[in-house]
Amino acid sequence: MKRTLLVVAILGSMLATGMQAQKMAIGPSLLWKGGVNTGNIPTGLKTGANINLIPDIAATFRILLNRDESIGFTADLGYAQYTYRMRPESESIANDDNTTISKHTFFNIAPMFYISGFQIGASFGFPLAYHMVRVSGASDADLTTKQTSPNIELRIGGMIPVFRDKTGSVNVLVQGGYMLTGLIDASEFSGTSDEFNPKAASFGIGVNYLFNLSN
């Protein structure tokens, strides 16, 4: 609840500031993303990168505060998926049957500072689903949203304009993220330590189109 109230307060402050902004814009964003598990890895296992074929989808809102349009805030609201691979550390026994791909799906609210295309901020994730499969194709686990955990992710990236007109702008997106909290609800570890709770580091590239709402 405290995290939710913090998000609402940040977004409210951004909107209030936007009343005096020079320019506001909103539009859809697509981000193709990959990730790895940066949490503690159990002995005998190894993490690996995995790429999502389905992009993250978000509505992006941007407020520019000064006349040269170099400083402002952005906020993303939408669907985000985090993924990573786990396999035996020994190359001699690792194969498609014992290599798993995990995918965690969240609804994210991500307020960020915007400085000349550079962005830095945080994302607050609310779990929707978790699915794990073996590379060979066999389904290994489906966890309910109660078994996954809300999370906080630090984000850094860029929104680089490649085309502008009176209607809006097309921007290339580059984004990296690092989770501060584990992906699985700590209560699911049944009294054992959650030191091996996975945390995702993500990286992605994408595009958005922002429609101008003001001159």
Side-chain angles (χ1 to χ4, degrees):
M1 179 60 71
K2 290 182 180 179
R3 292 176 182 172
T4 302
L5 292 175
L6 176 62
V7 173
V8 172
I10 292 173
L11 292 178
S13 176
M14 289 170 60
L15 290 174
T17 304
M19 297 301 179
Q20 302 176 0
Q22 297 297 322
K23 181 171 287 188
M24 294 182 288
I26 191 170
S29 295
L30 298 175
L31 186 76
W32 284 266
K33 195 168 66 180
V36 296
N37 178 8
T38 59
N40 292 325
I41 308 299
T43 301
L45 294 179
K46 182 178 180 179
T47 188
N50 194 62
I51 306 296
N52 289 325
L53 297 179
I54 298 175
D56 290 1
I57 302 172
T60 298
F61 181 58
R62 184 179 65 187
I63 302 172
L64 299 176
L65 304 177
N66 59 340
R67 293 190 180 278
D68 63 6
E69 302 179 8
S70 62
I71 298 175
F73 296 96
T74 65
D76 289 343
L77 288 83
Y79 160 100
Q81 188 168 252
Y82 299 88
T83 185
Y84 54 88
R85 294 189 181 213
M86 296 296 296
R87 66 176 183 82
E89 186 174 15
S90 172
E91 298 288 346
S92 63
I93 63 173
N95 56 53
D96 288 352
D97 288 325
N98 56 29
T99 299
T100 60
I101 298 173
S102 293
K103 294 183 179 182
H104 301 256
T105 305
F106 291 85
F107 175 77
N108 279 9
I109 302 174
M112 303 182 73
F113 294 103
Y114 176 94
I115 306 172
S116 298
F118 173 78
Q119 293 178 283
I120 186 169
S123 174
F124 302 85
F126 303 89
L128 299 176
Y130 167 48
H131 184 59
M132 182 166 64
V133 297
R134 300 183 187 278
V135 173
S136 61
S139 179
D140 203 63
D142 286 288
L143 276 68
T144 67
T145 55
K146 291 182 180 180
Q147 292 173 295
T148 55
S149 176
N151 69 75
I152 300 175
E153 175 192 29
L154 296 180
R155 283 190 179 182
I156 189 170
M159 184 186 297
I160 305 163
V162 293
F163 174 79
R164 290 177 177 172
D165 61 17
K166 293 182 179 180
T167 303
S169 63
V170 177
N171 305 280
V172 171
L173 306 175
V174 180
Q175 180 182 291
Y178 178 79
M179 284 188 178
L180 300 179
T181 54
L183 284 161
I184 306 299
D185 191 325
S187 65
E188 295 301 318
F189 288 87
S190 303
T192 61
S193 171
D194 69 343
E195 70 170 305
F196 299 120
N197 198 339
K199 298 178 182 179
S202 61
F203 47 89
I205 186 168
V207 64
N208 67 20
Y209 185 85
L210 300 183
F211 296 91
N212 292 332
L213 298 179
S214 59
N215 296 323

